Amino acid sequence: VGLAAGFDKDGEVPGQMLGLGFGFVEVGTVTPKPQAGNPRPRLFRLVEDQAVINRMGFNNDGQSAVLTRLAARERGSGPDSSYRTGLVGVNIGANKDSRDRIADYVAGVEAMTPVADYLSVNISSPNTPGLRDLQSGGELVELLAAVRSARIVGGPPLFLKVAPDLADGDHERLSHAALDHGIDALIVANTTLARPPLKSRHASEQGGLSGAPLGPLALDQLRRFRAVVGGELPLIAVGGIASADDAWARILAGASLIQLYSAMVYQGPGIARRIARGLAERVKRDGYSSISEAVGRG
């Protein structure tokens, strides 16, 4: 059970979150240069829907500051260095005003490799204008070729985080591009621009929707990617996961790992341990010897 990117944008508390029961924590999104993000207000709780809408815009302290914090942790001198169990991934992105966004991702790979247990290439946020264009055919191939060239032998695995707002044929195109360029896993999926029926007065706010209303769409996208890649490319499920039953459904649909964030807003950080215990119970109940044995068996 992992903590999705967006909570610890600047790598300030990954160890503490691991200490609260998450098996892995993804910090970021981190961009080469610091940036303030979009104007406020930019984050909205949709309490009646158990959801969140955000248009944060990759607000973060920049690579140098995050690198310094995570390097201190690696040396055992950081404020959270006592929490050593678990993995810390780094989600990398491009600056809003960048003239060469592909170069920003290359810089992210090169800068964060020494302190990351894995790197997540985020081209699916809806809150940086034009960013999702990098999911299109030619630009995607160019991006993946560039980040692949920037990798070092023995470096951290490289994941690709995709949007849930996809058309027919996108799943095959994205999957084949990822496989062709040595991507190690897909994270399915980011927030959505779609608006299912919502009760909250904030329902019309612009930005990416996460939380419970995203769940059915994210699960459908996971199944569609699994139908394309089978077991050839690991899938990490995120979006609308709030219980052990939600997590188990994603495992059975083909996810090897799950992440969450919005559910923690409403249920607190103890959710990680509750879901982990619930998954262990379901493995035993359904006669599997391990989580990995259940992946894709639904």
Side-chain angles (χ1 to χ4, degrees):
V1 180
L3 179 61
F7 176 79
D8 188 7
K9 287 179 173 291
D10 294 312
E12 296 175 298
V13 290
Q16 285 90 335
M17 300 314 294
L18 292 170
L20 287 168
F22 287 97
F24 63 107
V25 170
E26 189 169 316
V27 305
T29 297
V30 181
T31 56
K33 296 184 296 183
Q35 63 182 23
N38 293 324
R40 301 184 184 192
R42 58 192 185 186
L43 181 66
F44 306 89
R45 292 191 187 203
L46 285 67
V47 177
E48 300 89 340
D49 304 292
Q50 295 287 287
V52 172
I53 290 176
N54 93 84
R55 50 176 182 263
M56 302 296 285
F58 286 175
N59 55 305
N60 73 107
D61 291 343
Q63 286 174 2
S64 179
V66 178
L67 179 63
T68 297
R69 291 189 188 106
L70 295 183
R73 180 176 182 271
E74 289 295 309
R75 293 193 301 268
S77 57
D80 69 351
S81 59
S82 61
Y83 302 97
R84 300 301 301 164
T85 302
L87 305 176
V88 177
V90 180
N91 184 296
I92 58 174
N95 282 110
K96 182 177 181 179
D97 61 356
S98 174
R99 295 183 178 181
D100 188 343
R101 287 180 171 171
I102 290 177
D104 281 9
Y105 286 98
V106 169
V109 171
E110 293 175 343
M112 308 312 293
T113 283
V115 294
D117 290 308
Y118 69 87
L119 294 165
S120 176
V121 177
N122 185 358
I123 56 172
S124 51
S125 169
N127 300 315
T128 296
L131 187 77
R132 286 188 173 185
D133 293 344
L134 289 171
Q135 293 184 142
S136 63
E139 289 192 82
L140 177 66
V141 170
E142 185 179 353
L143 169 68
L144 296 183
V147 295
R148 182 180 189 176
S149 296
R151 301 178 72 176
I152 63 171
V153 176
L158 193 62
F159 303 162
L160 182 66
K161 188 167 186 176
V162 300
D165 307 315
L166 300 174
D168 289 343
D170 285 344
H171 307 83
E172 290 82 2
R173 181 178 54 77
L174 286 163
S175 297
H176 294 151
L179 287 166
D180 290 345
H181 291 87
I183 295 296
D184 297 291
L186 293 179
I187 301 178
V188 185
N190 213 318
T191 58
T192 182
L193 291 172
R195 291 294 184 268
L198 299 169
K199 302 174 184 176
S200 171
R201 63 187 177 90
H202 297 302
S204 62
E205 291 289 346
Q206 293 184 336
L209 173 70
S210 61
L214 174 57
L217 175 60
L219 177 56
D220 178 65
Q221 298 303 314
L222 176 70
R223 287 173 172 151
R224 296 184 71 172
F225 275 108
R226 177 70 180 190
V228 176
V229 303
E232 196 173 356
L233 185 65
L235 302 174
I236 301 168
V238 61
I241 298 172
S243 68
D245 283 336
D246 293 337
W248 189 235
R250 305 303 174 92
I251 298 295
L252 294 176
S256 296
L257 299 166
I258 67 107
Q259 292 179 312
L260 58 86
Y261 173 9
S262 295
M264 187 176 68
V265 172
Y266 295 104
Q267 298 189 39
I271 189 174
R273 283 201 173 96
R274 289 195 297 272
I275 290 180
R277 286 195 297 265
L279 286 174
E281 292 167 358
R282 283 153 180 77
V283 167
K284 184 177 181 180
R285 178 196 69 193
D286 292 356
Y288 295 109
S289 60
S290 66
I291 285 281
S292 60
E293 187 180 323
V295 172
R297 300 293 286 273

